[in-house]
Amino acid sequence: MKFGGFLLRVAIGLGLLGLAIQMNREEIRGVLTRRPDPFGFLVGLAYYLSGLMFAYLRWYMLVRALGMAFRYRDAVRLGLIGALFNFVIPGAVVGNAVRAAFLCKEKPEQKPRAIMSVLVDFLAGLSGLFLIAALVSTLGYTQLDPRVRRLVPLAWGMVACALLALLTVFRPRRFRKKSASPSQSFGSRVGIVPVAVLMGLGTHAMNVMAFHSVSQALFRSGVPGLAEHFLIVPIVLFTTAVPLPFGALGVSEQASAGLFGLLGYPGGAVAMLGFRILQFAGAGIGAGVYMLNAREVRRLSGESSSSP
């Protein structure tokens, strides 16, 4: 049954990939005719992997702020395994659940804090994702193409929603008296949370730079500027949280096509497909880490399936 479910997810993912390719076949043919610039992809990969490492540093700092013994290499190990699962099980949030499960397994006596670290890390990253779009687009508003300026209020609205969700987690009345609230768990280190949001901003700035580098590698000319990328790409990347296999493959491509289409730029979907190559590279590294920890993964999966 499990294998059948995996095959179904693969079939859906491949179907979405085929649909994305079919709908953008003319642009893809033009890119292949021009031959993409491999150096641009390498630069994009460097940005993307740097963003991953910075994101895992953010989680490491949050875990340590909760008073848990944790090493940065453990954050990288669990983070990369989570990145792999993002492409296999529906929904990008699954990678966070995998990280939480592994950390709970390794720190069974500190499960609430382990879960809290992942939850705060996710919301801090989400806040940073929209904050980078809102700030850069506001500061460079006059440089934006008039056709995409309407997205600036949307970006600020998403910032407000993400920050509200983060603040909601810290509401004491959400917790029973016998359990500590998040603010109590962080103690005097609760100030690390705004730092985590700023670090999330830095992580996604690197993602935007990676996306822009891939766009230039594919099209070389006619690519929208960085200001437009900083506004549009975070919104596109948010769609990868849609509960579909392989990071909402196909859905994000069409979202990118629509948003960049506001600029009259036809390469949005193809650029997102190019960015997928970077994501697959990260997932490939995660697969290697997964194989090195396969026994631990099987034991965790067995215990999870046998628990009520």
Side-chain angles (χ1 to χ4, degrees), residues 1-9:
M1 189 65 178
K2 290 182 179 180
F3 184 69
F6 174 76
L7 289 180
L8 177 61
R9 290 192 290 269

Side-chain angles (χ1 to χ4, degrees), residues 34 215-216 218-224 265:
R34 290 188 298 272
S215 296
Q216 290 185 316
L218 291 172
F219 294 98
R220 307 199 182 197
S221 62
V223 177
Y265 175 59

Side-chain angles (χ1 to χ4, degrees), residues 127-293:
S127 300
L129 173 66
F130 298 133
L131 191 58
I132 187 67
L135 284 176
V136 173
S137 61
T138 299
L139 292 174
Y141 187 81
T142 57
Q143 299 178 9
L144 285 174
D145 190 294
R147 291 170 289 184
V148 296
R149 289 177 181 174
R150 73 188 79 169
L151 297 177
V152 177
L154 173 64
W156 279 112
M158 288 178 157
V159 170
C161 291
L163 290 177
L164 180 62
L166 183 59
L167 291 173
T168 301
V169 172
F170 283 83
R171 291 171 61 186
R173 65 187 182 87
R174 289 174 54 90
F175 298 86
R176 298 178 180 178
K177 293 181 179 180
K178 293 183 179 180
S179 61
S181 69
S183 57
Q184 292 172 330
S185 298
F186 278 99
S188 62
R189 301 293 302 279
V190 72
I192 196 70
V193 177
V195 175
V197 172
L198 291 177
M199 293 181 71
L201 187 151
T203 295
H204 293 297
M206 294 182 195
N207 284 335
V208 174
M209 295 295 292
F211 196 108
H212 185 255
S213 295
V214 168
S215 296
Q216 290 185 316
L218 291 172
F219 294 98
R220 307 199 182 197
S221 62
V223 177
L226 267 177
E228 283 79 16
H229 273 76
F230 269 101
L231 174 60
I232 293 175
V233 173
I235 300 175
V236 173
L237 295 182
F238 177 64
T239 65
T240 60
V242 174
L244 288 172
F246 300 95
L249 184 62
V251 174
S252 299
E253 279 71 15
Q254 294 314 114
S256 183
L259 290 170
F260 277 107
L262 295 174
L263 297 167
Y265 175 59
V270 179
M272 183 61 200
L273 284 171
F275 185 77
R276 292 285 189 188
I277 296 176
L278 309 184
Q279 292 182 312
F280 284 136
I285 297 173
V289 175
Y290 175 90
M291 293 176 65
L292 292 174
N293 295 270

Side-chain angles (χ1 to χ4, degrees), residues 67-69 103-114:
M68 300 174 64
L103 191 56
C104 287
K105 169 64 180 177
E106 296 179 359
K107 313 285 184 183
E109 74 286 354
Q110 295 180 302
K111 285 185 179 181
R113 293 189 176 191

Side-chain angles (χ1 to χ4, degrees), residues 21-42:
I21 292 175
Q22 176 65 21
M23 295 181 68
N24 300 278
R25 59 186 182 278
E26 294 301 326
E27 288 80 7
I28 293 174
R29 186 178 295 114
V31 167
L32 294 178
T33 300
R34 290 188 298 272
R35 295 185 181 181
D37 177 16
F39 180 74
F41 270 94
L42 288 176

